[in-house]
Amino acid sequence: MWSAISKIFTKNFSTNNVQSDENISDEMDRGTKRKTDMDITFVTRLAKQKASIKWLLSKAFNNKIPENLKEPFYRDHENQEHLKPQIVGGLANAEIYCLALGNIYSDPNYHNLNHWAILQTLSRKSVYNNEDAQLTETTLIQTNPLRMSAHMAVIEMIMNLYTKEVVSADRVLSAIYRFKHGKGPAPNIPDNVVDQLLQWVTHACDAMRMRIEEEIGEEQNGGDGDRLKVPEFSPLRDLKDLCDGVALAALISYYCPDELSWTDIRISRVPSVQDSIYNLQLLQDFCSRCLPSSIFHLMPEDITYMRE
């Protein structure tokens, strides 16, 4: 398995720039010697950290990230990665967090908070630290080294806050009713936000399948047997079930059929790594072409291997 991963990540990681996974969370911004025998846990953790920083910057700058910060890491003369000093400073003095919260709530009163005030604000909104990292003002203001594990916990909390503000049981129920055209009994909506999102995607896949059945019924004289076969979408029980890209691509195809055709999606009972990456590349391409700003902060390979 690792031989495949090493080939995929050759472009992004050289043999001498991979950080030791013993202290990766706290030393990501330092140019420490990295091991060549990376494992999947290391790769996915590093990818998550990079994507989390990019997501936070997108919220802090309202999807208009300055050109010099669009790539938050740089490589030194030894080809080792470092978090850019502007971002290190912005995390340590809480400026980036304040900007993100201010934009999420369109409220400038969030712009002058310190870390402790931010944590208190999140707590009042019922968002708590679920990580093992100790979150104190002393820890979060450190810059040499930057305590990346602590900052990742804060970013995770802000992500959870944003999800709670965007997703609601009423919105999910309304979307499902539209899939059903107002017919049938109301489904039971779970309390957990992640489960609500999975239920929305599941019903979108069901609606997509019904649409495909109608299309095939109207094209009985078609000659492409493979294309005319109604696909079977696997049930979604966990976020990892999205890692093959099938359900997400079907979701986009349902809402934007002219931009992503269902016939382009590779669907199989046991999706291969190649098929999963291909489907996720379809999503990446859609985001690049059709959305006003970038929201695809992970590489397709990163998402594929997160299910391992």
Side-chain angles (χ1 to χ4, degrees):
M1 176 63 76
W2 170 240
S3 62
I5 299 175
S6 62
K7 291 179 182 178
I8 290 173
F9 284 87
T10 296
K11 293 183 179 179
N12 296 326
F13 304 97
S14 66
T15 56
N16 67 343
N17 71 352
V18 180
Q19 195 173 31
S20 170
D21 59 353
E22 295 176 0
N23 296 305
I24 180 175
S25 295
D26 290 337
E27 298 182 356
M28 187 173 175
D29 60 311
R30 294 194 287 177
T32 55
K33 190 71 175 179
R34 298 181 174 184
K35 298 190 298 183
T36 58
D37 57 338
M38 296 185 299
D39 58 14
I40 295 175
T41 301
F42 168 80
V43 172
T44 55
R45 189 185 304 171
L46 181 60
K48 180 181 177 181
Q49 289 180 347
K50 288 186 174 184
S52 297
I53 293 292
K54 289 183 177 181
W55 179 88
L56 182 66
L57 290 174
S58 72
K59 293 295 170 280
F61 294 101
N62 203 19
N63 294 319
K64 298 177 182 177
I65 304 174
E67 196 65 33
N68 64 323
L69 297 181
K70 285 186 176 180
E71 177 50 57
F73 296 87
Y74 73 95
R75 294 183 184 275
D76 62 15
H77 64 282
E78 295 181 349
N79 203 30
Q80 295 179 353
E81 286 188 324
H82 305 262
L83 193 59
K84 289 182 177 178
Q86 304 98 307
I87 299 175
V88 172
L91 293 175
N93 64 19
E95 178 185 7
I96 296 178
Y97 298 128
C98 290
L99 290 173
L101 289 172
N103 285 327
I104 289 173
Y105 288 105
S106 300
D107 187 350
N109 290 323
Y110 288 100
H111 287 179
N112 296 309
L113 303 179
N114 59 18
H115 294 105
W116 184 246
I118 290 172
L119 295 175
Q120 292 298 105
T121 298
L122 294 171
S123 178
R124 286 195 295 271
K125 295 182 179 296
S126 300
V127 177
Y128 306 101
N129 175 27
N130 295 322
E131 305 296 330
D132 294 331
Q134 293 184 348
L135 301 182
T136 65
E137 188 73 25
T138 301
T139 299
L140 291 167
I141 64 174
Q142 290 184 26
T143 59
N144 190 23
L146 183 74
R147 299 297 295 275
M148 196 63 189
S149 60
H151 286 283
M152 280 294 295
V154 178
I155 296 172
E156 187 85 16
M157 293 169 70
I158 295 177
M159 284 182 173
N160 291 337
L161 172 67
Y162 182 76
T163 303
K164 289 180 62 176
E165 295 295 340
V166 172
V167 181
S168 69
D170 289 340
R171 289 180 178 177
V172 172
L173 184 60
S174 177
I176 293 174
Y177 264 129
R178 287 195 294 272
F179 294 146
K180 295 175 173 290
H181 303 290
K183 300 177 181 178
N188 293 323
I189 305 298
D191 295 329
N192 182 276
V193 172
V194 171
D195 291 336
Q196 290 173 5
L197 289 172
L198 290 174
Q199 189 172 39
W200 169 53
V201 178
T202 296
H203 280 276
C205 290
D206 291 341
M208 186 73 246
R209 190 177 189 280
M210 293 176 61
R211 179 187 292 175
I212 293 170
E213 289 176 344
E214 293 176 359
E215 289 181 7
I216 291 177
E218 295 173 357
E219 299 176 2
Q220 293 180 352
N221 296 325
D224 192 338
D226 291 337
R227 291 294 179 88
L228 293 177
K229 183 178 180 180
V230 179
E232 292 289 341
F233 297 107
S234 301
L236 302 177
R237 301 184 181 88
D238 186 86
L239 283 176
K240 290 184 178 181
D241 294 330
L242 300 174
C243 290
D244 60 9
V246 172
L248 291 176
L251 175 74
I252 298 301
S253 182
Y254 179 84
Y255 284 105
C256 305
D258 294 335
E259 298 295 342
L260 200 166
S261 172
W262 70 268
T263 58
D264 291 333
I265 307 171
R266 293 182 181 176
I267 305 172
S268 59
R269 189 174 298 276
V270 182
S272 66
V273 171
Q274 291 79 7
D275 286 348
S276 298
I277 293 175
Y278 170 83
N279 290 331
L280 292 164
Q281 286 173 337
L282 291 178
L283 292 171
Q284 186 181 43
D285 178 65
F286 169 83
C287 293
S288 299
R289 289 186 295 106
C290 303
L291 300 184
S293 58
S294 174
I295 64 169
F296 205 100
H297 301 303
L298 286 163
M299 296 297 292
E301 296 86 353
D302 299 331
I303 300 173
T304 298
Y305 287 106
M306 282 183 177
R307 65 182 172 184
E308 299 295 336

